[in-house]
């Protein structure tokens, strides 16, 4: 089978080489994403492997004409592919499922960073301000942590948090029966009102309406800590900024933000950043932001690349 992989990063190259050999596939790669200018690179291939570059109906039409029957996204989320158009055109696509520990461990790390004021501690230390006034932290074991979404990642967060000894509450339209024996499931509003720390492990909202906005921030406890390692569109960012400025929110850890697409994974040191909301959010001392790197471990990247190749092969076997 001939697979063309877009957006291949340096840390993926060895994995692609290893797995292409292991599964006997012919592989083409490029560092750039699939755009109207670069789609022709995949001419002559059977399937493409992509990351998060949006594939609209226009892109899919070109791929169809080129004879591409299958798209594998090396990501869990697949909202960047126009699913309806793909179905209409008869192009199959699928996502991958990699180690949930990569995002789960990162999520707990962001909770700790928020609870212990690490952003301010590190900033002060860098200018030799070793005073500790106003820097008192909180212990996680005394907190009630609310998990929204108990799929693979949410469940792994729960398993890690059990070691911290905190109370764990959860919301999911489809509660996990086994998990329900050891944690409390409740309605979303109940979770929002009872939690001291909230984390979300759900897909991007399909209709674009955020899960957390003014109404939700209003019913949360004062001093709430919010962590988002899922999708930026889950939070209404302007409402979040209002709630931070009014001191309703204690701290926020964000691995994802709105409109990160043209910003993350690029070196933007020498350009004015065209994302004013990000610049403001990033300026708050109690907001700790990382550039969508929760997924980025050797274990997960290996899984993403291997599964992307095996997904393509599964498609080929069905033909
Ligand atoms: C996903 O797999 O859905 C992610 O969020 C990571 C991706 C941006 C590389």
């Amino acid at each position: 089978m001939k697979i063309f992989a877009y957006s291949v990063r340096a840390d993926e190259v060895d994995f692609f080489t290893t797995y292409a050999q292991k599964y006997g596939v012919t592989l083409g790669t490029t560092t750039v994403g699939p755009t109207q200018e670069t789609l022709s690179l995949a001419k002559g291939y059977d399937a493409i492997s992509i990351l998060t570059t949006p594939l609209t109906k226009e892109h899919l039409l070109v791929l169809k004409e080129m004879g591409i029957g299958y798209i594998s996204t090396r990501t869990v989320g697949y909202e960047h592919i126009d699913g309806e158009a793909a179905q209409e055109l008869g192009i199959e696509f699928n996502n991958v499922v990699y180690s949930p520990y990569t995002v789960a461990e990162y999520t707990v790390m962001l909770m700790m960073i928020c609870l212990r004021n690490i952003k301010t501690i590190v900033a002060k230390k860098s200018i030799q301000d070793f005073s500790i006034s106003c820097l008192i932290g909180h212990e996680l074991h005394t907190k009630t942590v609310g998990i929204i979404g108990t799929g693979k990642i949410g469940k792994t967060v729960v398993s890690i948090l059990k070691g911290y000894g905190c109370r764990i509450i959860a919301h999911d339209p489809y509660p996990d029966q086994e998990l329900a024996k050891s944690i409390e499931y409740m309605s979303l509003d109940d979770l929002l009102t009872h939690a001291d720390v909230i984390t979300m492990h759900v897909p991007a909202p399909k209709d674009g309406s955020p899960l957390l906005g003014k109404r939700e921030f209003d019913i949360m406890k004062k001093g709430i800590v919010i962590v988002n390692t899922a999708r930026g569109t889950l939070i209404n960012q302007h409402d979040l900024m209002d709630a931070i400025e009014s001191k309703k929110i204690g701290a926020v850890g964000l691995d994802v933000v709105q409109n990160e697409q043209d910003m993350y994974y690029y070196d933007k040191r020498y350009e004015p950043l065209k994302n004013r909301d990000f610049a403001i959010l990033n300026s708050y001392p109690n907001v700790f932001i990382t550039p969508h790197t929760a997924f980025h471990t050797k274990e997960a990247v290996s899984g993403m690349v291997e599964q992307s190749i095996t997904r393509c092969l599964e498609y080929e076997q069905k033909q």
Side-chain angles (χ1 to χ4, degrees):
M1 186 180 202
K2 293 181 79 179
I3 303 170
F4 191 80
Y6 283 96
S7 310
V8 174
R9 298 184 311 271
D11 57 278
E12 292 181 303
V13 170
D14 284 351
F15 292 122
F16 266 114
T17 310
T18 304
Y19 293 126
Q21 219 167 12
K22 176 175 171 184
Y23 293 105
V25 300
T26 303
L27 188 74
T29 65
T30 176
T31 57
V32 300
T35 60
Q36 288 295 0
E37 291 72 42
T38 61
L39 285 175
S40 61
L41 293 171
K43 219 176 222 148
Y45 288 82
D46 309 303
I48 63 167
S49 170
I50 63 164
L51 278 176
T52 51
T53 309
L55 282 186
T56 62
K57 187 168 186 175
E58 288 68 42
H59 297 119
L60 295 168
L61 276 164
V62 177
L63 290 168
K64 177 81 186 168
E65 259 172 42
M66 279 164 45
I68 300 288
Y70 186 73
I71 300 164
S72 162
T73 178
R74 304 191 293 287
T75 55
V76 174
Y78 48 86
E79 70 279 4
H80 48 289
I81 301 173
D82 183 338
E84 258 175 48
Q87 202 174 8
E88 222 175 87
L89 293 166
I91 300 179
E92 270 191 49
F93 67 93
N94 222 322
N95 62 343
V96 296
V97 184
Y98 48 84
S99 164
Y101 284 91
T102 186
V103 177
E105 289 179 3
Y106 204 92
T107 299
V108 178
M109 177 188 77
L110 287 180
M111 287 178 192
M112 298 301 298
I113 283 171
C114 289
L115 287 167
R116 301 304 288 267
N117 305 309
I118 295 300
K119 179 172 176 176
T120 309
I121 290 174
V122 171
K124 277 160 56 73
K125 187 220 62 186
S126 71
I127 54 165
Q128 298 191 43
D129 177 356
F130 305 123
S131 65
I132 59 167
S133 55
C134 304
L135 278 178
I136 199 150
H138 298 267
E139 296 174 14
L140 184 50
H141 81 99
T142 66
K143 303 295 173 204
T144 297
V145 181
I147 318 277
I148 303 173
T150 53
K152 280 199 172 60
I153 296 173
K155 252 198 293 204
T156 310
V157 173
V158 170
S159 76
I160 296 169
L161 285 179
K162 280 184 176 165
Y164 281 84
C166 46
R167 177 181 174 220
I168 304 170
I169 59 177
H171 170 74
D172 194 304
Y174 306 99
D176 182 291
Q177 295 312 317
E178 197 48 41
L179 206 59
K181 292 178 188 160
S182 60
I183 64 166
E184 298 163 62
Y185 274 99
M186 55 185 68
S187 71
L188 182 60
D189 278 6
D190 280 347
L191 180 146
L192 298 176
T193 48
H194 288 100
D196 301 301
V197 178
I198 290 172
T199 179
M200 290 168 289
H201 301 288
V202 292
K206 277 209 175 86
D207 61 359
S209 52
L211 192 66
L212 302 184
K214 184 179 179 334
R215 189 194 78 83
E216 289 73 26
F217 296 132
D218 281 348
I219 63 172
M220 290 176 190
K221 285 188 189 174
K222 186 169 162 54
I224 183 82
V225 169
I226 299 170
V227 168
N228 188 6
T229 52
R231 285 294 182 263
T233 48
L234 288 167
I235 298 183
N236 180 321
Q237 233 162 249
H238 286 147
D239 291 350
L240 177 73
M241 286 150 85
D242 287 343
I244 294 167
E245 289 178 14
S246 72
K247 301 212 165 87
K248 173 79 192 219
I249 290 180
V252 185
L254 299 175
D255 188 47
V256 287
V257 292
Q258 279 182 8
N259 305 316
E260 65 181 48
Q261 181 66 34
D262 298 330
M263 191 171 70
Y264 282 178
Y265 309 144
Y266 299 106
D267 181 352
K268 294 281 181 185
R269 274 179 297 177
Y270 309 110
E271 292 173 39
L273 203 58
K274 292 190 202 120
N275 189 331
R276 295 178 188 186
D277 288 346
F278 172 87
I280 295 171
L281 263 179
N282 199 34
S283 76
Y284 296 137
N286 54 348
V287 176
F288 188 88
I289 302 183
T290 54
H292 207 149
T293 41
F295 81 94
H296 203 216
T297 58
K298 282 220 167 202
E299 294 86 346
V301 172
S302 169
M304 286 163 132
V305 172
E306 181 169 22
Q307 223 185 89
S308 187
I309 291 176
T310 56
R311 289 269 199 236
C312 293
L313 291 171
E314 281 159 22
Y315 163 79
E316 190 193 37
Q317 275 155 21
K318 280 195 305 183
Q319 300 312 299

